[in-house]
């Protein structure tokens, strides 16, 4: 927000502003509600970057990525680039979730994707769930069979509520104005 205030960063649309809000929200929830404290390191939101925030706990190191493929940072493989590479005339770069969380713990890695969509349109939310399914398939090597759920979160501005009697599934949809539910989903996925 300080960069916005001094004119160093200018979102080109309301969608970009909601993505930055969501990134800030996720980092703050990790620090506050999940108890990681202030990040030990910040990175700039520029091309060629690594993580934009890193935390350390007694369990290991947690990194937050923004709008970049987690593959280079984690050394895993994605299915999308494998398909593209196997076909002449097909081109494309690695897919980039809006936010990725990589927690290298002493007992193994936890990985979570947070896709951000600024919409209240039910059809667009539904279509966005399918986009998240693509990430789950593409990056499936990142999740061992015993990885807890959710493995991905679709974050929208408002109007979504998980039924209290429903467990977290691979993907959960959360309203950006429901900090408590976001904290519970992050806790379930990475702790």
């Amino acid at each position: 927000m300080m960069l916005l205030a001094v004119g160093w960063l200018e979102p080109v649309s309301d969608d970009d502003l909601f993505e930055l809000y969501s990134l800030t929200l996720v980092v703050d929830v990790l620090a506050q509600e999940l108890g990681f404290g202030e990040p030990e390191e910040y990175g700039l939101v520029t091309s060629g970057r690594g993580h934009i925030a890193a935390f350390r706990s007694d369990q290991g190191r947690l990194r937050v990525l923004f709008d970049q493929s987690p593959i280079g940072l984690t050394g895993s493989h994605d299915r999308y680039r494998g398909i593209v590479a196997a076909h002449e005339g097909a081109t494309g770069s690695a897919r980039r979730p809006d936010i990725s969380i990589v927690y290298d713990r002493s007992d193994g890695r936890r990985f979570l994707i947070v896709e951000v969509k600024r919409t209240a349109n039910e059809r667009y939310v539904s279509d966005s769930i399918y986009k998240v399914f693509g990430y789950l398939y593409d990056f499936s090597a990142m999740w061992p069979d015993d990885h807890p759920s959710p493995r991905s979160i679709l974050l929208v501005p408002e109007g979504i509520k998980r039924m209290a009697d429903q467990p977290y599934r691979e993907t959960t949809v959360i309203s950006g104005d429901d900090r408590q539910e976001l904290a519970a989903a992050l806790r379930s996925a990475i702790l």
Side-chain angles (χ1 to χ4, degrees):
M1 294 308 289
M2 290 178 359
L3 292 175
L4 286 170
V6 296
W8 279 46
L9 182 64
E10 182 176 330
V12 294
S13 71
D14 289 346
D15 294 340
D16 292 336
L17 191 57
F18 185 64
E19 285 182 7
L20 288 172
Y21 162 78
S22 298
L23 173 63
T24 304
L25 176 65
V26 166
V27 169
D28 195 50
V29 167
L30 290 167
Q32 302 298 319
E33 280 83 347
L34 271 65
F36 280 92
E38 287 300 310
E40 69 174 2
E41 188 177 317
Y42 283 106
L44 294 176
V45 181
T46 61
S47 62
R49 69 190 172 275
H51 54 268
I52 59 94
F55 297 88
R56 181 143 332 258
S57 75
D58 57 350
Q59 289 289 318
R61 188 165 193 231
L62 183 142
R63 293 166 290 173
V64 179
L65 310 176
F66 180 67
D67 191 30
Q68 65 191 92
S69 174
I71 297 303
L73 187 66
T74 61
S76 295
H77 299 283
D78 63 317
R79 291 176 166 178
Y80 175 81
R81 288 190 309 171
I83 298 296
V84 168
H87 296 85
E88 189 174 315
T91 61
S93 57
R95 302 292 91 191
R96 299 180 328 230
D98 293 321
I99 301 169
S100 299
I101 298 172
V102 180
Y103 189 17
D104 290 311
R105 298 166 28 136
S106 56
D107 61 349
R109 174 173 283 158
R110 296 284 192 260
F111 178 64
L112 177 69
I113 289 172
V114 181
E115 186 65 11
V116 177
K117 297 295 179 200
R118 189 187 68 82
T119 187
N121 180 292
E122 291 177 9
R123 183 176 174 121
Y124 191 63
V125 170
S126 180
D127 290 346
S128 298
I129 292 169
Y130 270 95
K131 180 178 184 179
V132 173
F133 285 168
Y135 286 137
L136 291 172
Y137 181 81
D138 194 19
F139 300 123
S140 63
M142 301 285 289
W143 294 283
D145 291 338
D146 64 344
H147 192 288
S149 286
R151 296 176 183 197
S152 58
I153 294 171
L154 175 60
L155 194 62
V156 298
E158 59 189 5
I160 299 289
K161 192 77 174 161
R162 183 175 59 92
M163 304 299 280
D165 63 339
Q166 293 295 309
Y168 288 113
R169 301 179 189 285
E170 283 185 329
T171 299
T172 190
V173 184
I174 297 175
S175 294
D177 63 354
D178 192 345
R179 188 177 176 108
Q180 182 178 351
E181 182 66 18
L182 177 60
L186 290 171
R187 189 174 292 111
S188 178
I190 63 174
L191 294 183

